[in-house]
Amino acid sequence: MQSDTFLKSDSDDYDTDSSGDLPTTNNIGVKYDVQKDYTGERFLDQSRKDAYFDLRNELFTKPLEHRRIFCKTHHLNMTITDDGSNITITHNDSGAIEISSDSHSHALNCFGFTSGQRSVGGVLTGTTGFTAHDFTGATGESLVVIIDITRIEIPLTSNITTIGEAVQILKYTLTTYKNTVNLNSRTNDIKNVIGFELVRAVAINNTTHTHFADVQISKIPHMACKLNEHGTPIIGRVFLYNDMTNYFINEPISTEKNYFTPIVLNEFTINLLDQNNEQVELEMVLEFEVTILKQSLSQR
């Protein structure tokens, strides 16, 4: 008589009970060789496999990726002057200017301002007079400038002996703040950057004393830079009309790219230098091309 009981063969590869145990055979640890040569092979529609993969690699799996970044430099639209004893900040736009120091009295005393000194009329002048101070080795001492609601902190780490030095610190820091491009606010950090190039610039002059400005970005390795006549590594030279009414469009001639060791690009500061290699403030729209080394399949 035939039994209704299922008889399990000793040669069965898998256990049929539902205890949750892994099968006695599996493909864990098995290495599969990826086919690399498709010459002569065809898909079901008779199209050639090698032609398909050549087209795919050419369009979608290139070893390098190119991205464009648009950014703008800003004219600070203010003047910072001194009369030998007091510093005056004149903001040419409507709004308020405030000076504070987060309880660092030495910073306020050095620059000649009082705590929380504020002006709504666009002009702020120190009232206590400049006092030299050595901030070398100081920890966390800074001057804070608030323009409208924007807080700009100026760290102080050097010996300030003249009011002219104090004025230059204010000018340099405020200009640098305005010209820092933060990629984190747009997207994630750009990794594996191996190339950086200026491809277009539109600029207007604010003086008749210069006809070009050099674009300097210190974070970009010198391998991708050019040297100006002062020996400073620059990304490119932007030419200007010798007036303050017309925009000049620059499209530098692309040359052979020099790639550098991959870096992570999260932010960078644009410095504009005049013919004397001194920082200048200009309104300028810049377009950069970033070259990225794509990760290999084994890293994805």
Side-chain angles (χ1 to χ4, degrees):
M1 184 175 72
Q2 184 178 7
S3 172
D4 293 334
T5 304
F6 175 76
L7 297 178
K8 178 179 180 295
S9 171
D10 291 340
S11 62
D12 285 347
D13 289 334
Y14 296 98
D15 194 339
T16 58
D17 69 36
S18 57
S19 63
D21 292 337
L22 289 173
T24 56
T25 63
N26 52 64
N27 64 350
I28 296 175
V30 176
K31 180 180 179 182
Y32 294 93
D33 292 328
V34 179
Q35 185 174 346
K36 297 180 180 180
D37 185 8
Y38 295 91
T39 303
E41 296 189 15
R42 295 180 179 272
F43 291 108
L44 292 178
D45 63 358
Q46 297 304 304
S47 60
R48 290 170 46 190
K49 288 186 177 182
D50 57 347
Y52 164 78
F53 286 115
D54 287 343
L55 182 62
R56 183 202 65 179
N57 294 339
E58 179 183 353
L59 297 179
F60 303 110
T61 57
K62 294 181 179 180
L64 299 180
E65 178 182 345
H66 302 282
R67 295 188 194 177
R68 296 291 178 96
I69 298 175
F70 282 97
C71 51
K72 180 181 179 182
T73 63
H74 302 270
H75 179 40
L76 196 55
N77 207 20
M78 66 169 54
T79 56
I80 304 173
T81 58
D82 72 270
D83 60 5
S85 59
N86 286 306
I87 297 175
T88 297
I89 303 175
T90 304
H91 190 213
N92 298 322
D93 296 328
S94 60
I97 306 173
E98 183 176 340
I99 298 289
S100 63
S101 67
D102 292 347
S103 301
H104 301 143
S105 59
H106 291 309
L108 284 170
N109 292 340
C110 178
F111 284 78
F113 293 98
T114 56
S115 181
Q117 190 172 336
R118 189 171 185 268
S119 171
V120 180
V123 178
L124 185 64
T125 302
T127 58
T128 60
F130 168 80
T131 302
H133 188 80
D134 188 359
F135 295 94
T136 305
T139 302
E141 294 220 34
S142 61
L143 190 72
V144 176
V145 181
I146 300 175
I147 303 174
D148 296 330
I149 60 173
T150 302
R151 174 189 170 94
I152 306 171
E153 187 170 343
I154 304 174
L156 303 173
T157 58
S158 62
N159 186 13
I160 303 175
T161 59
T162 67
I163 192 171
E165 291 174 336
V167 168
Q168 288 302 314
I169 288 173
L170 277 171
K171 286 183 177 179
Y172 177 81
T173 307
L174 295 181
T175 302
T176 299
Y177 174 86
K178 298 286 282 185
N179 290 343
T180 295
V181 179
N182 188 344
L183 298 176
N184 287 325
S185 62
R186 308 181 187 188
T187 182
N188 295 327
D189 297 344
I190 303 179
K191 300 179 180 179
N192 287 342
V193 174
I194 63 170
F196 194 92
E197 183 180 15
L198 175 66
V199 295
R200 186 175 293 106
V202 180
I204 189 169
N205 213 338
N206 61 8
T207 176
T208 58
H209 303 298
T210 183
H211 59 281
F212 68 84
D214 288 338
V215 179
Q216 181 199 35
I217 301 177
S218 59
K219 191 163 187 177
I220 303 303
H222 294 179
M223 180 68 71
C225 297
K226 308 168 185 177
L227 290 180
N228 67 10
E229 50 269 31
H230 301 279
T232 302
I234 61 173
I235 301 298
R237 175 163 289 179
V238 177
F239 294 95
L240 307 162
Y241 284 120
N242 197 28
D243 61 52
M244 295 179 285
T245 58
N246 296 300
Y247 285 90
F248 194 100
I249 300 175
N250 295 257
E251 292 186 347
I253 299 175
S254 181
T255 58
E256 183 178 352
K257 294 179 175 62
N258 288 330
Y259 297 123
F260 45 82
T261 302
I263 64 172
V264 176
L265 199 61
N266 46 24
E267 70 172 26
F268 56 88
T269 298
I270 302 170
N271 294 321
L272 302 178
L273 308 175
D274 63 13
Q275 66 266 28
N276 298 317
N277 219 40
E278 295 180 355
Q279 191 165 324
V280 63
E281 299 174 24
L282 293 168
E283 293 281 355
M284 191 178 295
V285 177
L286 300 163
E287 181 181 357
F288 298 105
E289 181 176 275
V290 178
T291 303
I292 302 167
L293 179 65
K294 298 182 71 173
Q295 293 179 328
S296 66
L297 289 173
S298 62
Q299 295 174 301
R300 294 179 183 176

